[in-house]
Amino acid sequence: MRTGRSLILLAATALLAGACAAPEADPRRPPPGIGELSTGELQSRWWSWAASSPARSNPVADPDGSFCAENQPADVWYLAGTVGGRAERRCSIPKGRPVVLPVLNFTGTKAECAAQLAEAQGTVVWGRTDVAVERIEPTTIRIKGVEGNPLTRKAGTVTTYGCGLWVRLGPVWDSGALTIEGSAGSASTSVRYDLRVG
């Protein structure tokens, strides 16, 4: 996978309100702070996180969720997916942390990104509840990566266009299963997360 070609990534997360410990969270509303990020900032931050680990410990290349916690920032929890295909992962998430993930996301030229996005479809289901998905049009982004990461494959900063289907969730309070399904043309992805919150 190289920057300059459309990339499909699938990621997953979860949201459920705690019965006593926290107010009910609404999966249709972006969390405070995270919801205020521009679409360029949102994508740049996620892609830079995903490119911050080499392939051997990268959350995108992770077969079972072992690297879910790699290089997570303090203000949000990112979840990664696959570059096509199916995956089942177990991931531990700090209680009360906002979560951001792409359902399907792409990079490339503005035209390449727009063409992929035009065919993109995706769903996110937490338990039996559908979660709203945000469609982000092609936007200039900057990805800062380390040598050997599976996204840009090199150290340094890459400027490109990013677009896709994204989810911004409020604080996560309870454990559960989350299913992500996405497709764009002949490419399809599916991820099931067993999320442990604590």
Side-chain angles (χ1 to χ4, degrees):
M1 177 166 41
R2 293 191 292 268
T3 301
R5 294 188 176 186
S6 296
L7 308 177
I8 301 177
L9 296 177
L10 179 73
T13 190
L15 170 69
L16 206 69
C20 300
E24 184 170 334
D26 183 347
R28 296 166 298 181
R29 303 182 74 187
I34 298 305
E36 297 168 3
L37 289 177
S38 71
T39 57
E41 290 171 324
L42 176 79
Q43 293 181 93
S44 293
R45 287 189 62 185
W46 186 91
W47 278 96
S48 292
W49 166 77
S52 68
S53 300
R56 66 181 177 275
S57 60
N58 192 281
V60 178
D62 186 0
D64 59 11
S66 298
F67 305 118
C68 178
E70 287 292 308
N71 301 322
Q72 291 287 353
D75 62 336
V76 65
W77 192 268
Y78 294 120
L79 288 175
T82 68
V83 186
R86 300 179 63 84
E88 290 196 17
R89 293 180 178 147
R90 178 177 291 179
C91 183
S92 296
I93 298 175
K95 185 172 285 192
R97 187 77 63 89
V99 180
V100 169
L101 66 135
V103 180
L104 288 168
N105 62 343
F106 313 95
T107 65
T109 67
K110 188 174 184 178
E112 287 172 337
C113 204
Q116 292 281 2
L117 184 60
E119 297 184 311
Q121 302 178 56
T123 60
V124 178
V125 180
W126 170 247
R128 296 184 181 182
T129 303
D130 292 337
V131 177
V133 175
E134 175 183 3
R135 183 175 293 266
I136 295 180
E137 298 296 328
T139 308
T140 301
I141 63 171
R142 289 177 178 80
I143 306 169
K144 184 176 181 180
V146 299
E147 190 68 35
N149 78 79
L151 307 178
T152 67
R153 300 184 180 273
K154 61 183 180 180
T157 301
V158 173
T159 300
T160 186
Y161 280 92
C163 64
L165 306 179
W166 289 80
V167 172
R168 309 186 205 202
L169 294 176
V172 174
W173 297 107
D174 293 308
S175 301
L178 184 120
T179 302
I180 309 302
E181 302 284 347
S183 65
S186 62
S188 64
T189 55
S190 176
V191 175
R192 184 185 185 279
Y193 266 87
D194 176 11
L195 296 172
R196 305 297 174 93
V197 178

